[in-house]
Amino acid sequence: MKVVFLNPPYFPMFSRESRSPSVTKSSTLYWPMFMCYAAGCVEEDGNELLVLDSPAMDLDLDATLEKIKAFKPEFAVLNTSTPSINNDMRVGKAIKEALGCPVAMMGTHATAEPIEILEREPAIDYVIIGEADYTARELVRHLRGDGPSEASNVLGIAWRDGETPKQNAERPKIEDINTLPWVSKVYRKHLFSCYKRYFYGANINPLIVILSGRGCPFRCTYCVVPQTLTGHTYRKRDVADVVDEMAYIKSAFPDLGEIFFEDDTFTAHPGRTVELCEEVIRRGLKVTWSANARADVKPDVLKVMKKAGCRELCVGFESCSTDVLKNVKKGLADGMAERFMDGANKAGILIHGCFMVGNLGDTPETLQATLEFAKKLNPNTAQFYPIMAYPGTTAYKEAKERGELASDDYDLWLDKDGQHNTTVIRKGLTSQQLVNFCDRARREFYLRPKYVWKQAVMALTNGRERYRVFRGAGTLFKHLFRKHGAPQASSGYSRPKEPSAKDIAAKQAATVDA
């Protein structure tokens, strides 16, 4: 069967598979990793594939449709996110009108709101819920006639019974993820032409993003991927299989900067982290890599990671307030972040620090304290972003129950330029104030003379870091003094009773007055 997997066109440089999908201020463009894992499973099952990433390929809707028409697919699978969902449904409708083939959606938002999607856009035939890999494969088998005879027997989908949306039981999580194809081979075959377009502001580029495991044992209320796609059990690949893929990547991608492990928490099981590092060292594999981590990695583990080629860790510090961290179930004890930073500095591992504002319990005072905390920790790079409570997360449910979600109009979650425009409000803090604080925090963090000097020295003395520093800085400085854009106009997909931007502003003003 001929199947197209599409990361749909939207804003230029829109990162749909980021944990906070948007156009970033650092020129970052994410790989469509989960979509490519699913595509690999479908291709291994004897199907012919076209994999398109329109934002990376600079394809607008017309150009995207032309490529799809030339391929003549019998089935289309579209990647989604909450801020782009109205656009994505529009693209799905355009594909259905142009080709008449069945259309499915996958991703975090599709998992959280499958029935809503089917109710709001009649052109969408199926919604894939949870991990898409085996579900997409079985759905294709159903459509080509050698799988389940009825859609009702395909686990993990929502579908139409005539005009009525139905939702089947979710497919169990994949226990043995060693059975999944290497996503790097999918990139090499289908996306190699735009390999160097993918750019992560904190990393050595070009880079390849893979998983060494799926799921996260921690339960942070705001984190969308474990709460929708991968669950809270950390299922790990065999160490040998991971290192084999690392070796393949080094040989298959010329000018490779580094490999990034997109596991929610690569260091969740320290013993396994050390085992993987020791296998890299044993093989003498010289490859630079980075990963997501928590601020609880011990100094001895950090030293082994550095010896194995670890360059940087992306760490969610989020807040300096113990109460706020408890509210979001982050679970970091007092002093842990400082001890972690000390260990990382001594090991020679760079840190990209993430700080979130507008969490439950935040006040103007906790925000300012968090900014000072970020300066004190002084990671190599930092991002400040407003809480984006996505459907399917506890944070979203809490905000709705507390009356602190100003709107469910997904178009209003980005501004007119595709950047973050949270609709979460807190007592004493409007969503605009949260966004404005993030803008100010970036200026204060990045314009410190000592910080600027340190980055300049790094760029001038380290050729591998130079491109990252100059490109990231060039893009960032364009935004440091930029006035935050107005919310997007509604696309027409919004529910009829959703408030307008004017209504949101009025509600926010009333909340501040209260």
Side-chain angles (χ1 to χ4, degrees):
M1 193 172 188
K2 299 182 73 172
V3 182
V4 59
F5 277 82
L6 174 66
N7 201 31
Y10 195 26
F11 289 99
M13 299 292 287
F14 180 76
S15 283
R16 193 171 270 103
E17 285 203 14
S18 164
R19 282 169 171 74
S20 294
S22 69
V23 177
T24 74
K25 293 178 173 66
S26 62
S27 189
T28 292
L29 180 64
Y30 272 63
W31 284 92
M33 179 187 66
F34 284 111
M35 184 186 82
C36 288
Y37 270 111
C41 278
V42 171
E43 186 166 43
E44 275 194 343
D45 202 42
N47 300 289
E48 183 180 350
L49 257 62
L50 173 67
V51 179
L52 290 178
D53 185 351
S54 293
M57 297 173 174
D58 287 328
L59 302 176
D60 61 13
L61 180 57
D62 289 340
T64 299
L65 288 176
E66 286 304 308
K67 286 187 174 292
I68 294 174
K69 287 177 185 177
F71 180 65
K72 299 179 181 178
E74 300 162 87
F75 182 41
V77 181
L78 276 63
N79 206 12
T80 69
S81 70
T82 294
S84 68
I85 187 61
N86 293 336
N87 167 84
D88 302 341
M89 290 191 293
R90 220 168 24 244
V91 174
K93 180 180 180 181
I95 292 172
K96 174 60 71 69
E97 290 176 345
L99 290 104
C101 66
V103 177
M105 289 189 153
M106 61 166 286
T108 55
H109 189 87
T111 296
E113 299 289 354
I115 297 299
E116 178 187 273
I117 290 172
L118 295 178
E119 289 175 343
R120 293 172 68 191
E121 181 44 75
I124 307 303
D125 301 285
Y126 304 99
V127 178
I128 297 172
I129 300 165
E131 290 183 313
D133 318 87
Y134 290 175
T135 301
R137 184 179 68 186
E138 188 165 282
L139 182 54
V140 169
R141 289 175 179 174
H142 160 70
L143 292 171
R144 73 188 187 191
D146 62 349
S149 59
E150 302 293 335
S152 59
N153 294 325
V154 179
L155 293 177
I157 66 167
W159 54 288
R160 298 183 189 280
D161 185 1
E163 298 298 318
T164 305
K166 297 285 185 72
Q167 182 171 339
N168 298 343
E170 186 171 345
R171 183 177 300 275
K173 302 302 181 191
I174 302 169
E175 291 187 11
D176 183 6
I177 61 172
N178 293 294
T179 60
L180 295 174
W182 289 353
V183 73
S184 55
K185 288 190 173 182
V186 179
Y187 299 157
R188 184 66 177 79
K189 181 175 181 179
H190 295 284
L191 296 177
F192 187 70
S193 64
C194 54
Y195 152 53
K196 295 185 180 180
R197 289 297 309 279
Y198 300 103
F199 175 86
Y200 287 35
N203 299 96
I204 300 294
N205 294 276
L207 84 168
I208 295 296
V209 178
I210 66 173
L211 291 172
S212 81
R214 284 190 181 180
C216 181
F218 305 102
R219 295 183 177 269
C220 303
T221 61
Y222 51 81
C223 198
V224 65
V225 172
Q227 293 184 78
T228 55
L229 300 184
T230 60
H232 291 291
T233 299
Y234 189 29
R235 294 157 290 141
K236 304 176 291 296
R237 291 168 58 187
D238 291 344
V239 163
D241 188 53
V242 176
V243 181
D244 285 346
E245 185 174 11
M246 294 173 73
Y248 164 77
I249 291 169
K250 184 177 180 181
S251 66
F253 292 89
D255 304 319
L256 176 73
E258 66 179 87
I259 296 168
F260 188 84
F261 289 105
E262 191 62 83
D263 307 34
D264 289 279
T265 312
F266 178 80
T267 55
H269 293 175
R272 189 268 189 155
T273 302
V274 170
E275 182 186 356
L276 195 154
C277 291
E278 289 178 341
E279 179 65 12
V280 171
I281 295 167
R282 186 190 68 79
R283 295 194 193 186
L285 180 61
K286 302 299 182 183
V287 62
T288 301
W289 56 274
S290 296
N292 293 316
R294 275 169 60 89
D296 59 0
V297 189
K298 297 294 190 291
D300 58 332
V301 177
L302 291 168
K303 290 177 182 177
V304 177
M305 293 171 72
K306 177 64 176 180
K307 187 177 179 182
C310 180
R311 170 187 163 272
E312 180 195 65
L313 295 176
C314 177
V315 179
F317 298 105
E318 315 309 355
S319 176
C320 73
S321 168
T322 302
D323 289 338
V324 170
L325 293 176
K326 287 180 179 177
N327 288 342
V328 299
K329 296 182 171 57
K330 184 67 181 178
L332 294 177
D334 286 343
M336 185 177 287
E338 291 90 339
R339 291 191 295 273
F340 167 78
M341 283 299 303
D342 182 62
N345 288 334
K346 288 178 178 177
I349 293 178
L350 300 176
I351 300 299
H352 174 70
C354 303
F355 301 90
M356 185 187 298
V357 307
N359 282 307
L360 192 60
D362 260 330
T363 65
E365 291 72 26
T366 63
L367 298 190
Q368 184 60 38
T370 294
L371 173 54
E372 298 306 319
F373 180 60
K375 295 176 187 177
K376 177 183 176 182
L377 293 178
N378 198 31
N380 187 56
T381 49
Q383 64 185 68
F384 300 87
Y385 52 103
I387 173 68
M388 302 291 284
Y390 297 108
T393 66
T394 300
Y396 180 82
K397 180 181 178 182
E398 287 176 344
K400 293 199 74 169
E401 290 175 346
R402 294 169 59 89
E404 294 180 340
L405 187 71
S407 178
D408 271 331
D409 183 346
Y410 305 124
D411 284 319
L412 300 180
W413 292 37
L414 299 175
D415 72 11
K416 62 182 180 61
D417 299 314
Q419 297 179 357
H420 290 141
N421 187 67
T422 181
T423 59
V424 173
I425 55 179
R426 301 296 187 197
K427 187 174 181 179
L429 288 167
T430 68
S431 60
Q432 189 62 56
Q433 287 173 318
L434 295 176
V435 173
N436 289 346
F437 175 83
C438 291
D439 292 340
R440 177 169 69 84
R442 274 186 291 273
R443 288 193 295 271
E444 290 194 20
F445 183 89
Y446 282 107
L447 295 180
R448 293 173 295 148
K450 287 185 178 180
Y451 180 84
V452 173
W453 175 250
K454 178 182 176 182
Q455 292 297 309
V457 170
M458 180 181 290
L460 293 172
T461 59
N462 189 329
R464 300 190 72 223
E465 297 279 359
R466 188 174 302 131
Y467 177 70
R468 173 194 66 79
V469 172
F470 285 145
R471 175 172 168 173
T475 306
L476 179 65
F477 280 119
K478 292 178 183 178
H479 297 287
L480 286 180
F481 297 99
R482 165 189 175 271
K483 186 175 181 180
H484 188 71
Q488 292 190 82
S490 178
S491 67
Y493 272 104
S494 305
R495 303 178 185 86
K497 294 183 180 180
E498 289 297 345
S500 65
K502 183 178 180 180
D503 295 330
I504 293 175
K507 183 172 181 178
Q508 292 171 342
T511 302
V512 173
D513 291 342

